[in-house]
Amino acid sequence: MLSGKIALVTGGSRGLGREIALTMARQGADVAIVYNASDAAAQQVQQEIEAMGRRCCIYKCDVADFDAAKTLTDTVISEMGGVDILVNNAGIVRDGLLLSMKEEDFDRVLSVNLKGAFNLTKSLYRHLMKRSGARIINISSVVGLMGNAGQANYAAAKAGLIGFTKSVARELAARGVTCNAIAPGFIETDMTGALSDKVREGIAGQIPMKRMGAPADVAALAAFLASPAAGYITGEVIRVDGGMAM
Ligand code: NAP
């Protein structure tokens, strides 16, 4: 379904991004992985994708850095031959009730989770306009729809990403470029792995399906949105949350 396409996945070394990269590669895409610190994890994903017979390059870059993002995308275009699918997935949490939340924790979460998507999308904007059927997929969160005590910074970034998605979708629709957001609920990754069993049980109790999701649940949707079959879907926010936010 994605043969001949080149995907750039930020935060592709671990968790959801890793699974999205592997799933797109399985469907025929070559993949550029962007990560921040986990060299070994990124190399592991590269090996798995190359073992499928697909091309994969890995790039260490802080997506929050505007100039670094521009250099990164120029390098990816020159080394991989272009970008057809941009997945803005890199994200972090710095949780705390607003009363105790530090300014630097607010700024850093906004810089990585929201400005990171701006940096990559802006750097690739002209390029994507010229690629037939290009796709932008932003990984938001149900927390951006519902809010969550202790995550004012994260929820603000994820809600901002939804407004960003719809605006970019409107700007690029006439060019045949789609831009959609995925809003996962609670998915089993390192990000949620630090939660205690008690908290996890509490979360599962709020989910109609009574369980957390798997990265593959999100990756399947990302691959569909990247495919030609999804060419008339744009500006959407699709939850993958076991019914949590309906
Ligand atoms: P994760 O397991 O913690 O992985 C985060 C990924 O982002 C890693 O690959 C990490 O790279 C990368 N990253 C972090 N900061 C970066 C930066 N400044 N520049 C470049 N890359 C950076 O998280 P996850 O659970 O897979 O989450 C992925 C996305 O889904 C995030 O946007 C998150 O907010 C969203 N999401 C997750 C859930 C969930 O329940 N897990 C729910 C809703 C939304 P390194 O490996 O180098 O650190």
Side-chain angles (χ1 to χ4, degrees):
M1 273 198 316
L2 300 178
S3 295
K5 301 291 184 190
I6 303 165
L8 188 164
V9 183
T10 69
S13 53
R14 294 185 288 116
L16 299 186
R18 174 184 203 283
E19 195 61 34
I20 290 168
L22 291 171
T23 302
M24 289 187 175
R26 256 180 240 118
Q27 296 191 9
D30 292 333
V31 187
I33 301 281
V34 179
Y35 68 104
N36 189 45
S38 310
D39 300 309
Q43 285 160 13
Q44 176 69 34
V45 181
Q46 182 181 33
Q47 282 168 18
E48 287 186 42
I49 290 176
E50 286 177 349
M52 296 176 202
R54 302 262 49 91
R55 284 188 307 146
C56 180
C57 294
I58 58 174
Y59 302 91
K60 192 171 188 163
C61 174
D62 178 358
V63 296
D65 182 331
F66 182 81
D67 293 335
K70 179 69 187 133
T71 304
L72 163 80
T73 53
D74 288 348
T75 309
V76 172
I77 289 168
S78 122
E79 290 184 359
M80 302 283 297
V83 175
D84 301 291
I85 303 160
L86 168 62
V87 184
N88 287 308
N89 163 81
I92 57 165
V93 285
R94 296 275 189 277
D95 295 350
L97 294 174
L98 196 59
L99 198 61
S100 56
M101 186 176 285
K102 295 192 180 86
E103 182 188 8
E104 69 212 49
D105 292 336
F106 187 87
D107 287 347
R108 182 62 183 160
V109 167
L110 268 286
S111 295
V112 175
N113 297 16
L114 179 56
K115 186 161 176 272
F118 163 78
N119 290 343
L120 271 286
T121 308
K122 177 155 174 72
S123 301
L124 284 170
Y125 195 89
R126 280 178 196 283
H127 178 78
L128 291 173
M129 280 192 330
K130 293 185 209 136
R131 303 286 284 195
S132 173
R135 301 280 190 265
I136 303 167
I137 299 164
N138 297 321
I139 307 300
S140 179
S141 167
V142 289
V143 166
L145 298 169
M146 304 166 67
N148 194 23
Q151 290 197 306
N153 51 359
Y154 184 79
K158 294 301 186 182
L161 200 49
I162 289 171
F164 178 76
T165 299
K166 293 182 180 184
S167 302
V168 173
R170 286 183 184 277
E171 286 189 25
L172 288 174
R175 300 274 182 168
V177 179
T178 70
C179 181
N180 292 288
I182 298 177
F186 282 91
I187 311 294
E188 301 270 10
T189 67
D190 294 344
M191 189 176 271
T192 49
L195 300 172
S196 69
D197 286 348
K198 198 176 164 203
V199 171
R200 295 161 78 85
E201 276 168 31
I203 290 168
Q206 296 166 34
I207 302 171
M209 286 190 167
K210 300 297 176 205
R211 64 171 178 85
M212 292 174 71
D217 295 324
V218 177
L221 176 59
F224 169 69
L225 288 173
S227 74
Y232 201 56
I233 300 172
T234 197
E236 263 300 347
V237 183
I238 304 177
R239 293 180 295 107
V240 181
D241 66 350
M244 190 178 170
M246 68 180 161

